[in-house]
Amino acid sequence: MRVLVVTAVPVERDAVTRAFGGTGEAVALPGGELHRAGAFDVLAGGAGPAAAAAATAFALASADAPYGLVVSAGIGGAFTPLTPLGSLVVASDIVAADLGADTPEGFLPVTALGFGRDRFTTPPALVREVAAAAGAASGPVLTVSTVTGTAERAADLLAAHPGALAEAMEGFGVAEAAARAEVPVLELRAVSNAVGPRDRDAWRIGDALAALTDAFGKTAPVLEGWNRHDDRHRS
């Protein structure tokens, strides 16, 4: 089966397709352009969970054949020193970190309000295989609608989500669309900056994009070989 990879912006999409030797065949979709490279369809779906969910859902619904896996991919911020700049993170859980309600007692996730969900657990065996192939850390990756810009907010997120390795803006949206289509989902991030005060001079976007290309080069056989009906991947 084919693999759908959803990034936020074209520069991330192009970093992924470079792993397969180029941009591949361009397929026009309303509001975007999907690049087909071998078994991989790579789409820049837009920034944020809403755009990511809409783009993923449309790509899944309009596909001429079913996808076996959806991957949310791109660069992101990390809770260093656990995940230093230029390193890779595979999400064990994709968590909606700011979906809920603010109260005098603190933040309540949407699940505490009695509806919805605030996380997706990715297939453990697939996470292990991808992390081993890429030399990546694995742990929760947070999806936020507002990028963290202060040390206080970074500390609050870690307190609420112990063990979180990184934050980005699209993973939960991609996962929500994939789940509704009953397709397994994975999130793979290359670290471009530390979560906390915004210091653009310290960002390593070029290094992170290069790491993303390298990661897909190393993990392509694992991702392409994934089959949602293969019982060995269920634990």
Side-chain angles (χ1 to χ4, degrees), residues 11-109:
V11 68
E12 294 170 317
R13 177 199 64 204
D14 295 345
V16 174
T17 57
R18 275 196 295 274
F20 313 123
T23 58
E25 174 193 0
V27 179
L29 294 176
E33 188 176 69
L34 182 148
H35 288 197
R36 179 159 289 172
F40 293 82
D41 289 350
V42 190
L43 174 66
T56 303
F58 191 89
L60 290 170
S62 61
D64 53 8
Y67 287 105
L69 178 67
V70 177
V71 182
S72 176
I75 63 176
F79 296 96
T80 56
L82 295 175
T83 41
L85 302 189
S87 65
L88 297 163
V89 176
V90 182
S92 60
D93 298 271
I94 301 172
V95 183
D98 56 7
L99 180 62
D102 195 17
T103 76
E105 291 74 34
F107 176 77
L108 289 178

Side-chain angles (χ1 to χ4, degrees), residues 16-221:
V16 174
T17 57
R18 275 196 295 274
F20 313 123
T23 58
E25 174 193 0
V27 179
L29 294 176
E33 188 176 69
L34 182 148
H35 288 197
R36 179 159 289 172
F40 293 82
D41 289 350
V42 190
L43 174 66
T56 303
F58 191 89
L60 290 170
S62 61
D64 53 8
Y67 287 105
L69 178 67
V70 177
V71 182
S72 176
I75 63 176
F79 296 96
T80 56
L82 295 175
T83 41
L85 302 189
S87 65
L88 297 163
V89 176
V90 182
S92 60
D93 298 271
I94 301 172
V95 183
D98 56 7
L99 180 62
D102 195 17
T103 76
E105 291 74 34
F107 176 77
L108 289 178
V110 67
T111 51
L113 302 177
F115 55 89
R117 64 187 302 173
D118 63 357
R119 74 173 53 223
F120 292 92
T121 297
T122 51
L126 179 59
V127 170
R128 290 193 296 269
E129 291 178 26
V130 169
S138 61
V141 174
L142 309 183
T143 297
V144 294
S145 295
T146 301
V147 173
T148 300
T150 67
E152 180 182 15
R153 175 60 176 158
D156 288 345
L157 285 173
L158 271 181
H161 306 283
L165 296 184
E167 75 168 24
M169 298 181 73
E170 293 78 35
F172 192 82
V174 173
E176 189 73 75
R180 293 180 184 226
E182 299 184 339
V183 181
V185 68
L186 189 74
E187 184 170 8
L188 177 60
R189 293 285 166 183
V191 177
S192 59
N193 58 280
V195 176
R198 292 172 62 80
D199 179 8
R200 294 184 67 94
D201 291 338
W203 294 0
R204 297 292 181 266
I205 292 177
D207 292 343
L209 291 171
L212 191 64
T213 301
D214 185 61
F216 273 89
K218 291 177 177 177
T219 63

